[in-house]
């Protein structure tokens, strides 16, 4: 397969999820000597065509050319004043190092691994997933729907969300069909979503379409803290270090790295008051809403003063069910990903890239796990998953 003319799949260093930059900023400040490794997980058992690894390798090598522009730096300075000027200077000098990424293919099976200093490798996950998706559709010869159809679908969705009286953010970078589709979606949301569409997780498109970049932290933040401080301390130390870094900004806490039940055991009154709300990313959303409301009430905190960000596999029907239930019970907003950016007439890929090991300063390489509220989404070695479940008293069934 000819790969020498592989186009630049990622157009900007900011074509990434916002929480990757907010976490990178925190890692630079808190854990500059830490290292991490990540692996690609093909949940959907997709079959990759001959030459896919070579095409992905060429696209990854192109990433080394990306640099933060003066205009992009100014956008971050104005839009995100909680990012230190020292960090923005660092980001201006940062470049992707393709040697941190190993790509192999045997038959139709693709393997991708990332390893290096955490403050550097943290930016690879989202653009890698975006490239895998875009190249998959291209190299399998799959034809998507036209821009006009995608625009019409997106317009219909955001107008229906308007009728529900809710706010919506776009979270679909990692599993988008392509950058071209992503642009159409965000442009349409910005054009027709006034009062409902509040921003995108994609920093590049937030800048391009004059909307807000949205996000806080991801599972890997707590997974690293487990490697450094142990499973029982992971949530509380992760939250503590987030507060130390952002002093009240970026106040949405992710709950399901080690199940939400375990998270709420650490989410005491201090954290419950400091954080603006929590994010739901797995398990039954109505059960989670009830759990969250009960927790705030137990702390004598009005649930309507707090917000749940729902972000797990949302579509219009699911959003309407959640919104109807939560109305006048607790504040809510919705982060919608694949249903916006990969609703293009083709099956969406079911893939993830997750941290697999962490190397805290002064410690050995340690396997890390995620124990979501949906057991099928657990990641990690069976031995470490079993250890975490026993230490945290998490049922195995």
């Amino acid at each position: 397969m000819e790969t020498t003319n592989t186009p630049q799949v990622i157009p900007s260093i900011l074509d990434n999820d916002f929480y990757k930059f907010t976490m990178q900023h925190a890692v630079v400040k808190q854990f500059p000597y830490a290292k991490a490794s990540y692996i690609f997980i093909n949940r959907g058992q997709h079959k990759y065509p001959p030459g896919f690894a070579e095409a992905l390798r060429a696209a990854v090598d192109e990433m080394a050319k990306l640099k933060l522009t003066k205009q992009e730096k100014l956008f971050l300075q104005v839009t995100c004043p909680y990012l230190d000027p020292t960090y923005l200077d660092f980001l201006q000098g940062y470049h992707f190092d393709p040697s941190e990424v190993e790509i192999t293919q045997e038959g139709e099976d693709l393997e991708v691994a990332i390893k290096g200093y955490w403050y550097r490798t943290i930016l690879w996950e989202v653009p890698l997933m975006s490239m895998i998706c875009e190249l998959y559709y291209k190299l399998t010869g799959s034809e998507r729907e036209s821009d006009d159809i995608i625009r019409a679908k997106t317009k219909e969705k955001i107008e229906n969300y308007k009728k529900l009286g809710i706010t919506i953010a776009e979270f679909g970078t990692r599993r988008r069909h392509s950058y071209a589709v992503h642009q159409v979606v965000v442009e349409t949301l910005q054009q027709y979503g006034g009062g409902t569409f509040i921003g995108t997780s994609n920093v590049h498109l937030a800048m391009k379409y004059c909307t807000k970049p949205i996000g806080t932290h991801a599972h890997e933040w707590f997974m690293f803290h487990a490697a450094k401080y142990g499973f029982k301390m992971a949530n509380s130390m992760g939250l503590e270090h987030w507060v130390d870094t952002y002093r009240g900004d970026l106040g949405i806490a992710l709950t399901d790295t080690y199940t939400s039940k375990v998270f709420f055991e650490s989410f005491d009154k201090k954290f419950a008051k400091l954080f603006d709300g929590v994010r739901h990313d797995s398990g039954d959303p109505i059960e989670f809403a009830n759990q969250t409301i009960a927790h705030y009430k137990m702390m004598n905190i009005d649930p309507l003063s707090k917000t749940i960000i729902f972000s797990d596999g949302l579509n219009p029907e699911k959003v309407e069910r959640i919104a109807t239930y939560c109305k006048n019970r607790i504040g809510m907003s919705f982060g919608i990903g694949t249903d916006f950016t990969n609703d293009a007439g083709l099956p969406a890929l079911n893939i993830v890239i997750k941290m697999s090991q962490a190397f805290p300063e002064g410690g050995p390489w340690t396997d890390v796990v995620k124990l979501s509220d949906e057991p099928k989404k657990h990641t990690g070695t069976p031995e470490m998953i079993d250890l975490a479940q026993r230490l945290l008293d998490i049922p195995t069934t």
Side-chain angles (χ1 to χ4, degrees), residues 230-235 257-259 261-262 265 369 371 386-395:
F231 289 115
K232 287 183 177 290
M233 295 298 293
N235 283 319
T257 309
Y258 303 107
T259 75
K261 177 181 179 296
V262 170
E265 290 169 0
V369 302
L371 304 179
D386 177 68
L387 176 62
Q389 288 175 324
R390 287 188 285 112
L391 283 172
L392 298 173
D393 196 26
I394 297 170

Side-chain angles (χ1 to χ4, degrees), residues 131-150:
M131 288 189 288
I132 289 170
C133 291
E134 183 157 351
L135 288 171
Y136 177 85
Y137 295 119
K138 178 182 178 183
L139 298 181
T140 56
S142 305
E143 287 197 25
R144 66 170 173 90
E145 294 169 334
S146 69
D147 287 359
D148 287 344
I149 292 175
I150 292 165

Side-chain angles (χ1 to χ4, degrees), residues 189-206:
L189 291 172
Q190 183 71 329
Q191 183 177 356
Y192 297 103
T196 298
F197 175 60
I198 57 172
T200 172
S201 65
N202 188 288
V203 188
H204 166 65
L205 293 176

Side-chain angles (χ1 to χ4, degrees), residues 1 18 30 103 311:
M1 173 176 291
F18 184 51
Q30 304 273 359
I103 303 166
S311 62

Side-chain angles (χ1 to χ4, degrees), residues 189-262:
L189 291 172
Q190 183 71 329
Q191 183 177 356
Y192 297 103
T196 298
F197 175 60
I198 57 172
T200 172
S201 65
N202 188 288
V203 188
H204 166 65
L205 293 176
M207 176 179 170
K208 185 170 185 176
Y209 292 104
C210 301
T211 188
K212 183 181 178 182
I214 291 181
T216 53
H217 49 238
H219 297 105
E220 68 181 283
W221 181 251
F222 298 99
M223 293 162 78
F224 172 84
H225 280 78
K228 185 168 178 66
Y229 300 103
F231 289 115
K232 287 183 177 290
M233 295 298 293
N235 283 319
S236 58
M237 292 302 295
L239 294 171
E240 196 72 58
H241 283 132
W242 198 255
V243 170
D244 287 347
T245 302
Y246 287 109
R247 317 299 297 176
D249 283 313
L250 303 176
I252 297 295
L254 180 61
T255 61
D256 71 331
T257 309
Y258 303 107
T259 75
S260 293
K261 177 181 179 296
V262 170

